[in-house]
Amino acid sequence: MKSDLEHKFFEHYNQHPEKIYFSPGRVNLIGEHIDYNGGLVMPCAVTMGTWLLVAPNRNGELRFKSGNFEEEYTVALQSGYAKTGGEWYNYPLGVFNEILKEKRINYGLDLMYFGNIPIGSGLSSSASIEVVTAYALNDLFNFDYDKLELVLLSQKVENEFMGVNCGIMDQFAVAFGERNKAIVLNCDSLDYKLVNCNLGDYLLAIINTNKPRKLAESKYNERVEECKRALEDLNKEIKVNHLCELNAEKFALHSHLIENETILKRAIHVIKENDRVHLAAKALSENNLAEFGRLMFASHQSLKDFYEVTGIELDTVVDFCSQYPGVVGARMTGAGFGGCAIALVQKGTEEDFAIKLNDFYISKIGYSPTVYLSEIGHGASAI
């Protein structure tokens, strides 16, 4: 991989790369749709990701090239930039724009990106590009950003330059991920801890339903509003800033305040999912994958029954996983209504798993899913 990318860089720019960097994609192992409710999430880095090869040039230009897209972009080095359409190079261009607000870049750069994260699958390919660019510039020019500042900078690019209203989890996970560790992150305070996540005899299977996620954004905004309504109802009697400040026991004392049945279902998911993250962290720290897998299945069931964000494609994947003897746990990951599910699949059964899942999924849905296998990888780094 490394030598092939170096060869392509030389072919295109007629010079060798000075540095090579890598930033992973991520999945959320458990803790879904509670980040905007002040809850805990448990993402991890995966071994798929984005490579960036870079070298200075004498042209005073930024030259962007990708191994995944045909579009190339060359622009003069200047004090700031604006988004130009929806092409991939706007993500790194936004990072340059943000850094140039307070730092100086003294010379042009040739940049070549290559990623093996499936585009549009919900594994954070955009965050991977942003973080690898920010990490590289921080290293090349000896800027004094710490890792959290690079995360916040990258999130700002996504929010303000790209116009995508994402939370902090994606950029945080791809920057702070460590091999065989999961991150327990409080999305409100940004307090976090790493927990051991040695999968032992299991691999992380990422199953792309290959369904376009057309409903995800509108339904996401709808769920955010429903949770706000639940909070307003609860605050008639108690004062809380976020639903996840309540545990299940305290919520049960006040849940009568939420009279709308749908709003109550949303709140039940939020409270119980946050509790599941605590239990999942304990299970992993005790190396109890059976219990962790049970919590994964319970999370998916709650997202199906109470939060109603799964859909037939994701449910079909998890239904198969619940019957397959080599799977210890499975759930949807991400916003839902398509995108990906994850499963812990016993090593040695992965080929059989993929074949039988494919047959089962086609019989129900009419087309194939795509299965990717990963271990839990490390965060952004120089190679």
Side-chain angles (χ1 to χ4, degrees):
M1 168 74 81
K2 182 171 176 282
S3 59
D4 187 44
L5 291 175
E6 288 173 321
H7 178 70
K8 288 179 179 177
F9 188 94
F10 184 83
E11 273 190 338
H12 191 74
Y13 290 120
N14 199 31
Q15 65 168 329
H16 294 286
E18 183 177 283
K19 289 280 189 79
I20 303 177
Y21 301 91
F22 173 80
S23 182
R26 69 97 188 96
V27 294
N28 191 26
L29 294 172
I30 198 166
E32 215 66 74
H33 279 284
I34 57 173
D35 53 340
Y36 48 85
N37 289 296
L40 300 175
V41 293
M42 188 187 281
C44 67
V46 295
T47 47
M48 295 177 286
T50 306
W51 287 261
L52 168 58
L53 291 77
V54 60
N57 67 49
R58 298 178 181 179
N59 306 332
E61 295 175 330
L62 302 178
R63 302 197 291 185
F64 297 96
K65 166 75 175 169
S66 170
N68 302 93
F69 302 99
E70 290 184 9
E71 302 93 358
E72 300 176 27
Y73 189 62
T74 298
V75 64
L77 184 59
Q78 55 201 48
S79 59
Y81 300 96
K83 184 184 174 189
T84 59
E87 289 81 8
W88 71 272
Y89 50 75
N90 282 285
Y91 290 101
L93 190 67
V95 174
F96 276 91
N97 178 67
E98 196 60 39
I99 285 178
L100 284 165
K101 291 178 181 178
E102 52 187 47
K103 304 290 185 183
R104 183 176 177 82
I105 294 175
N106 299 316
Y107 49 81
L109 293 169
D110 292 340
L111 305 110
M112 179 176 284
Y113 294 80
F114 174 76
N116 62 355
I117 305 170
I119 305 300
S121 61
L123 303 184
S124 295
S125 56
S126 61
S128 184
I129 292 172
E130 291 155 356
V131 170
V132 78
T133 306
Y135 188 98
L137 294 179
N138 194 46
D139 180 61
L140 287 166
F141 294 98
N142 295 310
F143 297 146
D144 54 358
Y145 293 112
D146 63 28
K147 201 180 286 188
L148 181 56
E149 288 171 326
L150 293 177
V151 166
L152 293 169
L153 185 152
S154 298
Q155 185 200 14
K156 193 174 181 183
V157 170
E158 189 93 35
N159 293 165
E160 298 181 8
F161 194 85
M162 298 303 298
V164 178
N165 186 26
C166 74
I168 194 72
M169 178 180 72
D170 295 354
Q171 290 82 6
F172 199 100
V174 304
F176 280 87
E178 290 187 16
R179 184 168 177 79
N180 293 331
K181 304 277 187 181
I183 304 168
V184 180
L185 171 66
N186 183 314
C187 290
D188 185 42
S189 67
L190 299 188
D191 292 336
Y192 76 98
K193 66 178 181 179
L194 296 170
V195 295
N196 288 327
C197 191
N198 189 339
L199 299 181
D201 293 333
Y202 290 84
L203 288 168
L204 182 65
I206 302 163
I207 304 108
N208 191 344
T209 63
N210 290 326
K211 180 193 177 185
R213 295 184 300 162
K214 293 176 183 175
L215 282 174
E217 188 172 339
S218 63
K219 290 294 185 182
Y220 178 92
N221 293 335
E222 185 180 292
R223 295 299 181 273
V224 172
E225 289 305 312
E226 287 168 339
C227 290
K228 285 180 181 176
R229 284 180 58 189
L231 192 62
E232 288 167 4
D233 288 344
L234 291 167
N235 275 328
K236 293 171 188 173
E237 214 172 78
I238 56 174
K239 295 300 176 188
V240 287
N241 295 314
H242 300 290
L243 288 178
C244 288
E245 291 174 26
L246 303 173
N247 60 24
E249 185 178 353
K250 190 169 183 181
F251 175 71
L253 295 174
H254 303 283
S255 60
H256 64 275
L257 295 166
I258 306 173
E259 295 181 0
N260 181 288
E261 186 178 344
T262 298
I263 302 299
L264 179 60
K265 285 165 66 177
R266 307 298 186 246
I268 288 170
H269 165 74
V270 169
I271 302 300
K272 291 192 173 181
E273 183 77 350
N274 198 53
D275 284 349
R276 274 188 286 270
V277 179
H278 287 286
L279 294 170
K282 182 175 184 291
L284 285 179
S285 67
E286 296 172 352
N287 204 27
N288 188 345
L289 282 184
E291 172 62 8
F292 183 73
R294 186 193 68 78
L295 291 164
M296 291 175 71
F297 281 124
S299 171
H300 184 88
Q301 197 67 39
S302 179
L303 288 157
K304 176 184 178 183
D305 295 340
F306 292 99
Y307 224 66
E308 298 178 281
V309 292
T310 58
I312 187 171
E313 294 82 6
L314 288 163
D315 290 340
T316 297
V317 171
V318 176
D319 285 348
F320 172 80
C321 290
S322 69
Q323 302 165 29
Y324 188 81
V327 170
V328 73
R331 61 182 293 275
M332 62 157 271
T333 186
F337 301 105
C340 289
I342 55 173
L344 298 181
V345 180
Q346 192 170 18
K347 291 176 181 175
T349 68
E350 55 265 37
E351 188 175 338
D352 181 71
F353 169 81
I355 291 168
K356 289 179 178 171
L357 170 61
N358 186 67
D359 292 344
F360 185 84
Y361 190 84
I362 289 175
S363 72
K364 302 281 187 181
I365 307 300
Y367 55 86
S368 293
T370 307
V371 179
Y372 305 91
L373 297 170
S374 178
E375 295 178 335
I376 295 178
H378 61 81
S381 63
I383 296 177

